[in-house]
């Protein structure tokens, strides 16, 4: 089996699963299994689904997202693990189209498109509009244009003739972009990618690498439990890749009452969880110091941005953690 799709499910997510099921049906391949992991309410739900691929409903070892994902890791049998949250979805055909790239790298970022717009709106936009970008029509119908990156992999684009001789094109290496449709990062340029690879949603990881490194999620940190897993994976990768095309639609939450997000916890709690998880996992890194330097740089930039925006009146007084990162 090629793909194991791992989806943690909260009680509020159960009603969203039929829409995600429709989305997975349109991935252009049935060489997948779908692992749904949640609480007893999920186990008791009767899904009257017909599917050409196996769907497994499992109870998590704990009620946290990290516990659910660890249960998925233990049950998965696919060559590659795909992490898809219950309220997100993939652009149709993604898993089939990008398999040649998936097989080249142990870690691939499907490139997120974050939005507050519900997934159903995106699906309606895709069906009703012939433009090949598959993103919502923010600028009006007349402004919608077909994106260069829709062309098949390793084929020349119609737009290549127009930009081939420009200095900007040569400087930004558009030729490689047009033919490959993904960006490769190595330990020499972790800095440019680290912030995109810390969250696990929208990532495809080699299951063999997960087994070899015994990478696990933190079951105690509800908001940042990804870091333990992703930093362990990054610690053992020489190169990683990110698609140029945005193929993972990440739905943000804006309803703190009916559909709250863990990011809507108290300010002090958010920062405490973030710093605690990051400093703990950075101390475990064993690879050359460039990865640690990239993580420290990301952390300091985020802290600097916070103080720049909010001033020095913030409640962020975790001096011991900050000192660890600076060192």
């Amino acid at each position: 089996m090629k793909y194991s799709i791992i989806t943690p499910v909260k009680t509020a997510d159960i009603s969203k699963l039929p829409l995600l099921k429709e989305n997975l049906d349109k991935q252009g391949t049935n060489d997948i299994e779908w692992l749904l992991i949640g609480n007893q309410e999920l186990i008791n739900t009767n899904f009257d689904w017909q599917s050409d691929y196996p769907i497994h409903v499992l109870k998590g070892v704990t009620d946290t997202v990290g516990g659910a994902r660890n249960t998925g890791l233990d049950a998965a049998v696919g060559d590659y693990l795909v992490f898809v949250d219950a309220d997100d979805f993939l652009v149709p055909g993604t898993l089939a189209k990008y398999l040649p790239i998936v097989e080249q790298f142990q870690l691939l970022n499907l490139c997120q498109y974050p939005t507050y717009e519900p997934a159903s709106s995106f699906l309606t936009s895709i069906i009703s509009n012939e433009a090949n970008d598959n993103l919502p029509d923010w600028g009006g119908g007349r402004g919608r244009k077909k994106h260069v990156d829709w062309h098949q992999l390793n084929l020349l684009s119609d737009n290549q003739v127009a930009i081939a001789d420009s200095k900007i094109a040569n400087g930004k290496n558009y030729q490689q972009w047009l033919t490959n449709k993904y960006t490769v990062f190595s330990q020499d340029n972790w800095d440019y990618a680290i912030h995109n690879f810390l969250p696990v949603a929208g990532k495809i990881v080699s299951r063999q690498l997960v087994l070899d490194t015994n990478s696990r999620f933190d079951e105690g940190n509800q908001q940042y439990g990804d870091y333990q897993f992703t930093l362990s994976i990054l610690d053992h990768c020489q190169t990683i890749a990110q698609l140029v095309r945005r193929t993972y639609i990440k739905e943000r939450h804006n309803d703190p009452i009916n559909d709250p997000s863990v990011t809507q916890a108290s300010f002090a709690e958010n920062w405490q969880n973030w710093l605690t998880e990051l400093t703990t996992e950075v101390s475990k890194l064993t690879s050359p110091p460039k990865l640690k330097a990239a993580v420290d740089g990301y952390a300091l930039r985020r802290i600097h941005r916070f103080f720049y925006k909010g001033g020095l009146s913030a409640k962020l007084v975790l001096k011991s953690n900050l000192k660890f990162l600076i060192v």
Side-chain angles (χ1 to χ4, degrees):
M1 182 171 293
K2 193 59 65 177
Y3 293 112
S4 292
I5 302 171
I6 297 177
T7 301
V9 181
K10 300 178 297 183
T11 298
D13 294 330
I14 295 177
S15 61
K16 305 171 185 177
L17 294 178
L19 191 61
L20 180 54
K21 164 69 167 52
E22 288 183 29
N23 180 245
L24 297 182
D25 290 344
K26 298 175 182 178
Q27 288 307 307
T29 176
N30 291 325
D31 196 12
I32 64 175
E33 63 171 351
W34 189 20
L35 306 174
L36 300 169
I37 309 100
N39 56 22
Q40 191 61 43
E41 187 167 348
L42 173 68
I43 301 298
N44 295 337
T45 302
N46 182 23
F47 296 106
D48 187 18
W49 287 338
Q50 306 235 338
S51 177
D52 294 327
Y53 51 86
I55 300 175
H56 306 290
V57 180
L58 308 171
K59 185 173 182 180
V61 292
T62 68
D63 289 335
T64 64
V65 174
R69 287 179 173 144
N70 282 338
T71 300
L73 295 182
D74 294 335
V77 298
D79 296 335
Y80 298 96
L81 308 176
V82 188
F83 295 93
V84 180
D85 288 347
D87 51 358
D88 302 336
F89 79 99
L90 305 173
V91 169
T94 292
L95 295 184
K97 178 178 180 180
Y98 293 103
L99 179 59
I101 298 176
V102 171
E103 294 179 329
Q104 293 182 50
F105 300 95
Q106 293 177 308
L107 174 61
L108 176 68
N109 181 8
L110 293 176
C111 195
Q112 287 190 8
Y113 182 86
T115 179
Y116 285 102
E117 189 173 3
S120 56
S121 299
F122 280 95
L123 295 176
T124 302
S125 175
I126 291 171
I127 294 172
S128 61
N129 198 300
E130 294 180 355
N132 286 325
D133 56 8
N134 289 350
L135 294 180
D137 191 1
W138 300 119
R142 290 183 297 177
R144 234 175 132 85
K145 296 182 179 179
K146 297 183 179 182
H147 284 209
V148 174
D149 60 354
W150 179 254
H151 290 267
Q152 296 182 26
L153 296 178
N154 298 322
L155 294 181
L156 299 181
S157 163
D158 295 337
N159 288 9
Q160 187 170 2
V161 176
I163 67 172
D165 296 329
S166 91
K167 293 181 180 179
I168 295 177
N170 293 331
K172 293 188 176 181
N173 200 12
Y174 278 133
Q175 296 294 334
Q176 180 182 1
W177 182 87
L178 287 169
T179 56
N180 296 323
K181 313 300 186 303
Y182 60 88
T183 305
V184 178
F185 300 95
S186 66
Q187 293 181 355
D188 292 330
N189 59 357
W190 284 138
D191 282 354
Y192 298 101
I194 195 67
H195 64 289
N196 289 327
F197 282 86
L198 289 176
V200 79
K203 309 301 184 296
I204 301 181
V205 185
S206 163
R207 187 169 70 92
Q208 188 59 54
L209 178 61
V210 173
L211 295 174
D212 292 344
T213 58
N214 194 29
S215 298
R216 309 288 289 179
F217 291 89
D218 185 348
E219 298 176 5
N221 192 321
Q222 176 75 334
Q223 188 172 347
Y224 297 103
D226 296 7
Y227 289 6
Q228 177 175 304
F229 178 83
T230 51
L231 283 174
S232 175
I233 294 298
L234 287 168
D235 201 21
H236 295 85
C237 288
Q238 296 299 314
T239 57
I240 55 179
Q242 176 174 296
L243 296 181
V244 171
R245 176 177 169 76
R246 295 179 182 269
T247 60
Y248 185 88
I249 310 304
K250 178 68 179 175
E251 183 178 333
R252 295 180 180 266
H253 295 257
N254 61 357
D255 187 348
I257 298 176
N258 299 314
D259 193 9
S261 167
V262 291
T263 59
Q264 293 165 341
S266 70
F267 172 86
E269 184 181 355
N270 281 344
W271 277 95
Q272 176 68 57
N273 289 340
W274 177 72
L275 279 173
T276 299
E277 192 71 14
L278 200 61
T279 54
T280 299
E281 299 311 318
V282 165
S283 66
K284 300 176 183 178
L285 297 177
T286 61
S287 63
K290 291 183 178 179
L291 175 57
K292 181 180 182 300
V295 178
D296 287 351
Y298 154 73
L300 291 175
R301 286 192 298 272
R302 182 171 175 182
I303 293 168
H304 178 269
R305 184 168 62 249
F306 164 75
F307 282 119
Y308 178 80
K309 289 182 177 180
L312 298 178
S313 61
K315 305 175 194 175
L316 183 63
V317 275
L318 304 173
K319 294 183 180 179
S320 60
N321 285 345
L322 290 175
K323 181 178 179 182
F324 177 89
L325 285 169
I326 294 172
V327 171

